[in-house]
Amino acid sequence: MSDPRLPAPRDARLNPLAALIFSSRWLQLPLYLGLIIAQGVYVFLFAKELWHLIHEAPALGEQDIMLIVLGLIDVVMISNLLVMVIVGGYETFVSRLGLEGHPDQPEWLSHVNASVLKVKLAMAIIGISSIHLLKTFIEAGTLGLPVCATVTGGVPCTRFTQGGVMWQTIIHCVFILSAIGIAWTDRIMQSTSSKREQVAH
């Protein structure tokens, strides 16, 4: 009698309904192709901001240069997030990429699953949120000035309000707590799964 825990043989055929349901995973392919196009848009945005930095560097102050550089880092981190979703999501939910033994195979891809992908995405979102919060803190010295949308004629102004900065900080803390919760839940699930395997053996 075959062990139900062992994988089905490669030549095993699914019944038509099961085959249709299993094949429906390919409906996600256009979504990942769309994210690849979005990745190209971010490459264009990065090149545009980099050209602006190089071209305007003599006329920019230190704070302006720092904000542009942080914007470039933000684009890179969002691009990294896209790569994780495209590669990890396709590998997990659609089909194997067959990268075993490839010299450029990402280290994290060898043990990726839905739980690992969730934790990595949560950490990437925290990193992106940190960059936005740092950009806000750099301009925090302008708090108290009129909001730029309400003034004209070169009057000193600010893009932020005290309430906006407070909410941005709170949201960032919520992201951190969410990531901790996801990692903790994943750890509990792995521990429970390990105990079940030990009992089964």
Side-chain angles (χ1 to χ4, degrees), residues 16-64:
L17 179 59
L20 175 63
I21 294 173
F22 185 57
S23 298
S24 67
R25 72 193 191 279
W26 289 103
L27 291 174
Q28 295 189 36
L29 181 59
L31 307 182
Y32 292 113
L33 294 178
L35 288 180
I36 293 174
I37 295 174
Q39 179 90 301
V41 173
Y42 267 99
V43 171
F44 172 77
L45 178 61
F46 183 91
K48 179 181 176 183
E49 289 297 317
L50 183 61
W51 170 251
H52 176 251
L53 174 62
I54 295 172
H55 187 258
E56 301 292 336
L60 295 174
E62 180 181 359
Q63 180 172 318
D64 296 325

Side-chain angles (χ1 to χ4, degrees), residues 107-187:
E107 183 274 334
W108 54 270
L109 191 59
S110 60
H111 53 268
V112 70
N113 54 45
S115 297
V116 172
L117 194 59
K118 281 192 299 183
V119 174
K120 288 189 175 294
L121 291 178
M123 297 304 297
I125 291 172
I126 290 174
I128 294 169
S129 177
S130 299
I131 295 296
H132 282 265
L133 196 59
L134 181 58
K135 290 169 67 175
T136 300
F137 286 165
I138 289 175
E139 298 190 60
T142 60
L143 288 177
L145 295 176
V147 179
C148 291
T150 63
V151 298
T152 56
V155 178
C157 60
T158 181
R159 297 188 300 133
F160 305 99
T161 62
Q162 292 182 354
V165 173
M166 181 188 70
W167 278 110
Q168 190 172 352
T169 305
I170 291 173
I171 293 171
H172 178 71
C173 292
V174 170
F175 283 153
I176 294 175
L177 292 176
S178 299
I180 294 173
I182 291 172
W184 182 65
T185 303
D186 182 56
R187 183 175 180 180

